[in-house]
Amino acid sequence: MLYAQVVFGLAVSGPFDYIVPQALAGNIKAGARVRVSFGRRILIGYVVGLTHTTCIKKLKPIAELIDQTPVLNKDILLLTKWLSDYYCCSWGEAIETALPQSLRRGLSIPSVKYNDYPRFSKTPQLILLQSIDRFARWDFYLKEIKRTLDSRRSVIMLLPDIHTLLRAREKIISGLNIIPALLYRKQPKELDEWFKIKKQEVRIVLGTRAAVFAPLENLGLIIVDEEEDFVYKQDQVPHYHTREIALKRSDIEDTQVILGGSATSLEALYLSRKNKVSPVLIPKSGGMPQIDIVPPARHRGIKNIDILSRYASDSIAGCLASGKKILIFLNRKGFATFAYCHNCGLPLKCLRCAVNLVYHFQGQVLTCNYCNFKMQPPEICPSCNSGYIKYSGLGTEKIESELARVFPQARVAKWDESGQVNFKGTDIFVASQNIIKEPDLKFSLIVVMAVDNSLNRIDFRASERTFATLSGILGLAEGKIIIETYLSNHHVFRALKSADMNIFYDEELKQRKQLNFPPYRHLGLVKLRGKNYAKVKEAAEACFNHLTKGNKDKFIKILSINPGHHPKLRGNFYWQILLSSAKPRALVEFLKINLKDFLHSGIIVTVDIDPIY
DNA sequence: AGCACGCCGACT
DNA sequence: GTCGGCGTGCTC
């Protein structure tokens, strides 16, 4: 008798055994989808193994075999198993993240005949590519892609967002004369593209994070560009990091991996140092811009006075006189970062997320940056009924209007999300983070404002984020860059100033080591959410005590219990417990065992391994 | 995740 | 007496 071990895209641990009917016994393979009765429902399941023995008494038969050709090959099946173990989710949930939406819903696909390639055995090789010059990075990528394709192996290239992805497509077409397959969330032809890859009609795939699971055979190279970008971490269960999946896939399939970017993540850097891999450093073509670190204007925020330092204002004036392009960078959108009642001091907050609402002058609207809630500014304070709402804090909109006032001769524009900006007809651009996604833009002068806000955040990754952001901006600089900060001696600025990234990495790694933070140790975050604040808090405290009591292992530390960093988000209240361990496997084992018997009604518990917050 | 079973409060 | 609230536990 043949039995199939089946898992489901549910938060239930399996696998569950089913009888394979005689008629299917010759066709069924691991990695295929089946339709089976599970409890009282009919579900799509994934066969993860076949066996002749079972210890389950009452077995049901498989109702239908959906796939003649398995949707997951052995390697990807193994990869999803690893994902589920590492990131603490069920195998079925991991499998579903690796498949297109329509396949999860049971849509059938024609069977595929494989060309059998001889399996090349090659030692997996990690390359860390560090360059703020995107064109230089692309030259490197194209050379490696070509080399891989020439040796008849296939390529996955991952990009952080669709905008960058579509640009990358053009570069591949113009550089190699090949049309790549594209995989990204919301790809209208997702299944067509996926199937084209499955049929081995294309050998190069570009995509955002889920494309790391692309069903390519005979894979030879995975490129993760802008590897330091936090969007590579999935913000929903399972909370996988694309870089880690890429590394694991390369390990399973013996491929090369290139982790490239402007500023390597601490995780990747640590890995490369551990493996004694020297980063490939490519200097910016045309040389580094001049970098000036100056103190900010002292009276910022007081009406109409000194938003910029004197040095920055003078430099801007000089640039304007010679008709050069200027960028003012401020990592904060909107006009005012908060609005409050002048009488009782009450800030206007989002009702669902409890964060301050940002005032947008354009459209005269208050917006929540987390849930996108919008409201008209109230005429009177909702708390004390006084009639005077005040706005403060600087956003890009405010800077834009101030610059227009101080430099009436200049054409000032805010960089728009849509990118519909007249570049030629503008002298001064005001932009936040998204400008970094525009590698073709070049500015003779860049002024970075309020960078200390981003350095001073209570997040141990604040320095790393700031360093990555500034490195990204450096890629847009052609002449001079002025950074306004009170913290000129910070290792972020020392590294930039002396064009030696190791000044940053050495110091940052030293601090992380002292604090027992990643990349030296792994963190795990247990998140609890529910509609009732008191119940969530109570459950979190009980969970904390429960975990502390259950922790016999000296290698695991239960660090803290806190309200979620947005304690209230989309109507749910959040509490979280932070743990750390040198061994992520041990941490997940510990959590699996100890959270299984921790159930509270109305509370949903999820686990995030290697969280980013 | 669902879905049923089960054990307590207010309704014909 | 029973309808329904959701807390608890199982699904091969």
Side-chain angles (χ1 to χ4, degrees):
Chain A
M1 188 64 106
L2 187 62
Y3 307 104
Q5 299 168 312
V6 176
V7 296
F8 303 99
L10 306 173
V12 286
S13 51
F16 297 86
D17 293 350
Y18 284 85
I19 295 165
V20 178
Q22 206 63 58
L24 301 177
N27 277 334
I28 195 161
K29 293 186 199 79
R33 292 170 301 159
V34 289
R35 222 179 292 274
V36 294
S37 154
F38 183 66
R40 251 134 289 240
R41 341 172 243 171
I42 305 290
L43 295 180
I44 307 291
Y46 306 91
V47 178
V48 294
L50 294 162
T51 169
H52 290 283
T53 56
T54 178
C55 49
I56 304 297
K57 297 273 157 19
K58 37 177 185 110
L59 287 168
K60 292 178 181 176
I62 286 171
E64 184 196 343
L65 174 63
I66 302 173
D67 302 312
Q68 298 304 310
T69 309
V71 286
L72 302 140
N73 70 21
K74 287 252 154 46
D75 289 337
I76 297 176
L77 203 53
L78 204 61
L79 185 66
T80 57
K81 174 72 172 97
W82 178 85
L83 191 161
S84 72
D85 288 338
Y86 188 96
Y87 289 103
C88 204
C89 68
S90 75
W91 195 350
E93 286 175 299
I95 286 173
E96 295 216 323
T97 56
L99 288 178
Q101 204 82 52
S102 48
L103 294 185
R104 301 176 208 172
R105 286 197 282 265
L107 200 84
S108 64
I109 48 164
S111 68
V112 167
K113 210 174 125 271
Y114 279 120
N115 299 318
D116 269 328
Y117 286 94
R119 177 91 185 214
F120 297 81
S121 194
K122 189 178 160 191
T123 10
Q125 195 194 342
L126 170 68
I127 296 176
L128 211 64
L129 174 64
Q130 235 169 266
S131 178
I132 60 165
D133 187 332
R134 259 174 265 223
F135 297 95
R137 281 203 319 261
W138 265 100
D139 288 344
F140 189 91
Y141 295 149
L142 288 173
K143 231 169 47 208
E144 291 298 323
I145 291 169
K146 188 166 186 319
R147 206 218 310 261
T148 308
L149 295 175
D150 285 349
S151 69
R152 308 195 60 217
R153 303 185 87 188
S154 56
V155 178
I156 296 176
M157 180 168 189
L158 302 164
L159 292 311
D161 53 83
I162 294 165
H163 184 67
T164 315
L165 172 67
L166 295 176
R167 278 168 187 283
R169 178 178 181 269
E170 299 313 311
K171 296 208 177 192
I172 295 290
I173 292 173
S174 65
L176 299 170
N177 202 23
I178 298 172
I179 298 176
L182 298 190
L183 288 180
Y184 52 93
R185 226 169 66 88
K186 298 277 145 88
Q187 151 78 287
K189 296 177 293 181
E190 185 189 29
L191 190 58
D192 291 349
E193 291 290 281
W194 187 91
F195 195 54
K196 216 157 72 185
I197 301 162
K198 186 78 179 166
K199 283 190 292 187
Q200 306 182 43
E201 285 175 8
V202 279
R203 293 193 302 133
I204 171 159
V205 176
L206 302 187
T208 49
R209 60 188 172 218
V212 74
F213 302 103
L216 284 162
E217 299 289 327
N218 198 31
L219 187 65
L221 170 65
I222 307 174
I223 299 172
V224 187
D225 189 36
E226 300 186 35
E227 158 278 326
E228 69 272 28
D229 199 315
F230 290 125
V231 301
Y232 282 123
K233 173 83 177 174
Q234 172 113 44
D235 54 8
Q236 280 160 14
V237 177
H239 297 282
Y240 68 86
H241 198 297
T242 312
R243 182 207 308 124
E244 301 307 316
I245 307 295
L247 289 167
K248 189 63 198 176
R249 188 162 179 184
S250 119
D251 186 32
I252 293 171
E253 302 187 37
D254 292 329
T255 78
Q256 197 181 26
V257 183
I258 303 174
L259 302 179
S262 308
T264 312
S265 67
L266 270 289
E267 279 77 8
L269 191 94
Y270 177 72
L271 180 72
S272 75
R273 287 193 181 179
K274 212 168 66 182
N275 295 354
K276 303 205 164 36
V277 173
S278 313
V280 176
L281 305 167
I282 308 176
K284 190 175 187 293
S285 82
M288 283 290 276
Q290 178 190 335
I291 301 174
D292 290 327
I293 315 281
V294 302
R298 221 168 301 152
H299 301 294
R300 161 136 12 104
I302 295 176
K303 206 167 188 274
N304 292 347
I305 300 174
D306 290 347
I307 277 186
L308 286 159
S309 63
R310 186 61 192 266
Y311 180 64
S313 305
D314 290 350
S315 300
I316 291 170
C319 258
L320 284 174
S322 51
K324 290 175 176 164
K325 300 284 178 211
I326 299 157
L327 170 67
I328 310 294
F329 181 85
L330 177 70
N331 208 353
R332 223 194 237 169
K333 283 188 270 184
F335 186 81
T337 45
F338 82 112
Y340 62 99
C341 170
H342 191 53
N343 185 34
C344 71
L346 179 89
L348 298 175
K349 284 176 181 286
C350 173
L351 297 172
R352 291 158 78 198
C353 307
V355 299
N356 291 337
L357 293 167
V358 173
Y359 180 63
H360 290 260
F361 191 75
Q362 198 178 16
Q364 313 274 314
V365 71
L366 290 161
T367 312
C368 170
N369 280 348
Y370 294 99
C371 72
N372 215 22
F373 167 80
K374 288 184 170 58
M375 70 179 265
Q376 295 297 311
E379 297 277 315
I380 53 167
C381 170
S383 167
C384 71
N385 294 331
S386 145
Y388 186 23
I389 301 293
K390 251 191 100 139
Y391 300 95
S392 82
L394 288 178
T396 48
E397 281 189 1
K398 173 73 174 173
I399 297 293
E400 181 195 1
S401 70
E402 278 303 300
L403 286 167
R405 193 183 55 77
V406 178
F407 302 105
Q409 75 278 29
R411 294 163 299 177
V412 182
K414 190 157 61 66
W415 181 260
D416 197 76
E417 299 266 336
S418 61
Q420 300 303 314
V421 179
N422 176 6
F423 187 70
K424 282 213 171 71
T426 305
D427 302 308
I428 307 179
F429 281 96
V430 182
S432 64
Q433 201 76 33
N434 50 7
I435 192 86
I436 300 171
K437 304 285 180 194
E438 302 299 330
D440 300 334
L441 302 183
K442 292 286 175 256
F443 298 94
S444 302
L445 174 66
I446 299 181
V447 181
V448 179
M449 295 183 64
V451 68
D452 292 356
N453 288 333
S454 113
L455 267 183
N456 288 334
R457 294 175 60 162
I458 37 162
D459 170 0
F460 72 90
R461 283 183 232 264
S463 300
E464 184 182 359
R465 280 178 197 260
T466 308
F467 186 66
T469 301
L470 292 176
S471 299
I473 295 169
L474 227 51
L476 308 175
E478 232 164 22
K480 181 160 85 172
I481 172 162
I482 300 172
I483 301 173
E484 295 190 339
T485 176
Y486 289 112
L487 308 164
S488 58
N489 203 35
H490 194 286
H491 52 291
V492 164
F493 305 121
R494 280 191 283 123
L496 292 171
K497 183 97 181 129
S498 54
D500 179 0
M501 297 183 111
N502 284 328
I503 291 178
F504 171 74
Y505 291 119
D506 292 343
E507 176 62 26
E508 190 64 22
L509 284 173
K510 197 179 98 193
Q511 293 187 9
R512 299 280 185 96
K513 192 170 190 173
Q514 278 170 0
L515 295 166
N516 280 321
F517 273 135
Y520 292 94
R521 284 175 76 87
H522 291 263
L523 298 179
L525 196 63
V526 178
K527 295 182 190 175
L528 298 93
R529 73 171 195 267
K531 300 279 176 214
N532 179 316
Y533 179 82
K535 278 191 180 169
V536 178
K537 182 170 188 275
E538 193 184 306
E541 281 160 357
C543 188
F544 183 83
N545 293 333
H546 180 73
L547 292 176
T548 309
K549 216 174 289 165
N551 182 22
K552 311 271 188 287
D553 192 339
K554 292 282 180 295
F555 299 107
I556 292 170
K557 287 198 175 72
I558 296 158
L559 298 174
S560 63
I561 169 167
N562 283 306
H565 82 138
H566 308 301
K568 190 183 182 191
L569 186 61
R570 288 178 242 275
N572 270 312
F573 290 97
Y574 283 77
W575 275 74
Q576 55 193 30
I577 297 162
L578 189 66
L579 301 91
S580 87
S581 164
K583 288 250 124 220
R585 285 299 182 105
L587 183 59
V588 172
E589 272 314 302
F590 170 77
L591 289 174
K592 273 189 178 153
I593 292 161
N594 287 280
L595 291 177
K596 197 153 65 179
D597 49 333
F598 181 85
L599 291 167
H600 272 63
S601 69
I603 306 292
I604 295 157
V605 181
T606 56
V607 172
D608 184 352
I609 301 297
D610 301 335
I612 284 170
Y613 55 96

